[in-house]
Amino acid sequence: MARARILDAEGAAALRDARSAVQSAEDATALATLLPRPVLAMAVRYSLQVLSERAKGNTVEVRVPPFGAIQCIEGPGHTRGTPPNVVEMDAPTWVALATGDLAWEAGVGRGDIHASGQRADLRGYVPVALL
């Protein structure tokens, strides 16, 4: 069963709140006090939803555990097992990347974004939301 679509107004509001909290927090503990977990979850799921709508396909799997994962970007896909092109990061990193506060190259260079596979590259697809 497909997940219900997050409405733009609700998702954008959650993403704005998450962006503000990520910018203000010094660490994960501080983030947890600034932002309720359900708001962070909605922000991540909404921004992944936007990415999947803008970059239709199933060549790259983008994972933001524990909140969500999508397949996106046109090209050769996979149907079973571990996908060959995976991008994975934590929620604060994804929020920063999705909102333009973190450049793809900087996140990969710092090791905050783990990308494996020839096509595991989100340049040109992020940011997904300009707030």
Side-chain angles (χ1 to χ4, degrees):
M1 179 176 215
R3 182 180 295 267
R5 187 178 189 292
I6 298 170
L7 299 176
D8 290 331
E10 293 174 11
L15 191 54
R16 279 191 300 277
D17 291 347
R19 180 186 192 196
S20 178
V22 167
Q23 289 173 335
S24 300
E26 295 180 17
D27 57 28
T29 303
L31 180 61
T33 63
L34 292 171
L35 186 69
R37 185 174 167 91
V39 176
L40 180 59
M42 179 178 282
V44 168
R45 290 179 183 133
Y46 173 71
S47 52
L48 287 172
Q49 172 184 292
V50 172
L51 176 61
S52 70
E53 290 170 353
R54 292 184 183 168
K56 295 189 183 299
N58 64 348
T59 297
V60 178
E61 185 164 296
V62 180
R63 299 175 181 168
V64 185
F67 301 116
I70 61 154
Q71 291 182 1
C72 60
I73 304 175
E74 285 188 25
H78 67 278
T79 55
R80 298 186 333 172
T82 301
N85 301 292
V86 176
V87 174
E88 187 167 342
M89 68 203 81
D90 64 15
T93 301
W94 171 249
V95 168
L97 184 67
T99 59
D101 291 335
L102 175 65
W104 172 260
E105 296 82 0
V108 171
R110 288 194 321 229
D112 294 338
I113 299 172
H114 305 282
S116 63
Q118 287 183 312
R119 296 176 181 263
D121 189 334
L122 297 182
R123 280 180 285 203
Y125 300 101
V126 291
V128 297
L130 299 173
L131 304 175

